[in-house]
Every structure is written in structure tokens, then in C-alpha cells.
Amino acid sequence: FNLTVLISGNGSNLQALIDACASSALPSTRITRVISNKADAYGLTRASNASIPSTVHSLDPYKARFPNAKKPKLSSPEARSEYCKDLAKLALEATPKPDLIVCAGWMLILTPTFLTPVAEAGIKIINLHPALPGEFDGIDAIGRAHKAFLAGEIKRTGVMIHEVIEDVDAGQPVVTQEVEMREGESIEELEARIHEVEHGLIVEGTRRTLLEIGERRKAGGGA
Ligand code: GRF
């Protein structure tokens, strides 16, 4: 199988996938492309260390072309839509074509101008999100979970790998894992424990999805 991995930062989850492809954790699977929205993402270094071709696809030119009149710092819907249209071209023109796109520490919302062409090409997308289904969707999930714990509202949080649909972080979960929260634990300590769980789950979520893709192909289910 060929994976395209989308990243935005450190790439510790990309690294987990790189290591899994090298071991028997993800048999006959390789990452054939890394795409980052940030030129300074350390994940790009991890990709080049593993001789994986990478591309930087920045949102900045789109923000300049389609400014957000009300909030100049933020991107406008047009900028995001145009950005994602070109991101789909990047992802689909790649050779070999990816069997699966994995969002690993990817921080941008994927609009229908990306999701539709990718779905039409029969390619699934999965995403890592450091929260349990239906809880703390969107940004700073870990920070918000920690606040809820300090307020006595929750005792545990978790991590999930889910299919990507238009509603942010709301797609069908592929695999989830709970993370118990601890009295007096700092946000940094919680984050470190959550990242550990992420690294295992991103591999397991990818493995299960590829298994399902393989089965569907065997059953003659098309792409
Ligand atoms: C993860 O919590 C991810 O959800 C968030 O950044 C953390 C690690 O990302 N976006 P990375 O794989 O180390 O870049």
C-alpha cells in the first residue's frame, strides 16, 4: 500500500508511521509522499531522513489572494476552498497514487473542494485527534480536556483515529483509546502521555483501514 501523510508540525506521528512501515507493524506499506502546510515543520526533516518525497503547500498565498476582510489574520472561506482544491490536485497527481491519506498532526480544515475529488478517486482519509469521539473536537483538544479535568467535569480523555468527513473531527471512529487523567499532573505531562498513545494508535488505525481496503478490493468492491 502507498500512504500520503499530511503534517503541520513536529511529525512525531509521521515518525511512528515511518518506523511502522520499516517494521512488520505495517506490512507491504510505504509512505510515498508527505505534504506539509508549514515550510518549517520538523516533520519535513523526518521525511527527508527517511528519503520520502515531500511537498510544502502553504496557505499564505491563498490568504493574500483572497483576504479575510473582517479578520485579516485569519484565512477566508475562499482562501481555504482554493487552497484545498489545489491540495487535492497535489494529492491525486502523485505517482504512485495513494491508497490512503493519513492526517498526522494536520492542523487545517479540509473543505469539500478537497474531500470530494479525493472521495471520487476512491481514496479514504483518516485523521488523528487527541480526544474521544464527540468530545473536544477542533483545536486545543488536550488543553480543553485538561481544563475540564481541573474543573472536575471529566476523569479521562483519550485519542481517536477517525475517517475524515466534512464535519470537523466527526467522522466514523476507526479506533479509540482512553487516557486516564491524574491529580496534580501538568498539561505537559498529560500531553506527553497522550502523544505516546497517539503514536501507537496512528499505526493501529492505519493498519485497520488498510486491512479493510484490502478486503474490499478482494471482494471486488472497486477502488
Ligand atoms: C497531536 O496531538 C496532533 O493531534 C496535533 O499535534 C500533536 C502531535 O503532532 N496536531 P505531530 O505528529 O507530533 O506533528
Side-chain angles (χ1 to χ4, degrees):
F1 291 103
N2 300 311
L3 303 179
T4 287
V5 182
L6 306 186
I7 63 166
S8 297
N10 175 23
S12 66
N13 287 285
L14 165 66
Q15 190 63 56
L17 287 169
I18 290 171
D19 300 343
C21 289
S23 73
S24 58
L26 283 178
S28 56
T29 301
R30 55 195 184 134
I31 300 168
T32 45
R33 186 89 167 289
V34 167
I35 300 177
S36 172
N37 66 306
K38 291 284 181 193
D40 62 352
Y42 183 68
L44 290 167
T45 303
R46 296 179 193 271
S48 68
N49 289 346
S51 316
I52 299 170
S54 61
T55 307
V56 175
H57 183 50
S58 170
L59 183 59
D60 296 346
Y62 298 84
K63 284 169 74 171
R65 237 164 71 213
F66 306 98
N68 179 324
K70 286 191 285 297
K71 300 175 186 153
K73 281 246 177 306
L74 297 183
S75 60
S76 63
E78 300 83 355
R80 288 196 295 274
S81 176
E82 283 300 306
Y83 172 86
C84 281
K85 191 165 77 173
D86 291 343
L87 180 65
K89 285 193 199 114
L90 274 175
L92 296 178
E93 81 198 3
T95 48
K97 195 166 113 63
D99 296 298
L100 176 63
I101 295 175
V102 184
C103 299
W106 174 256
M107 299 305 276
L108 290 186
I109 289 175
L110 296 168
T111 65
T113 54
F114 176 82
L115 299 172
T116 306
V118 169
E120 281 167 359
I123 299 171
K124 260 187 191 287
I125 313 163
I126 57 174
N127 177 50
L128 160 77
H129 185 65
L132 292 173
E135 299 183 6
F136 310 114
D137 58 357
I139 54 169
D140 193 25
I142 301 175
R144 287 154 49 210
H146 192 241
K147 248 193 218 86
F149 172 64
L150 296 179
E153 290 156 15
I154 56 172
K155 291 241 172 303
R156 55 101 188 90
T157 183
V159 180
M160 70 167 160
I161 305 296
H162 65 90
E163 290 185 18
V164 174
I165 58 169
E166 199 176 331
D167 301 337
V168 178
D169 298 331
Q172 179 72 22
V174 171
V175 61
T176 65
Q177 186 170 332
E178 292 198 352
V179 175
E180 287 310 305
M181 298 173 91
R182 296 173 183 163
E183 285 306 324
E185 183 174 48
S186 71
I187 178 83
E188 292 75 18
E189 287 164 331
L190 173 64
E191 271 187 348
R193 283 196 305 121
I194 286 180
H195 290 333
E196 276 305 304
V197 171
E198 288 175 346
H199 302 156
L201 223 62
I202 190 108
V203 173
E204 180 57 17
T206 299
R207 193 187 66 76
R208 291 189 192 190
T209 307
L210 291 176
L211 215 57
E212 188 207 306
I213 292 170
E215 244 116 70
R216 211 179 52 235
R217 285 183 185 165
K218 256 190 265 158

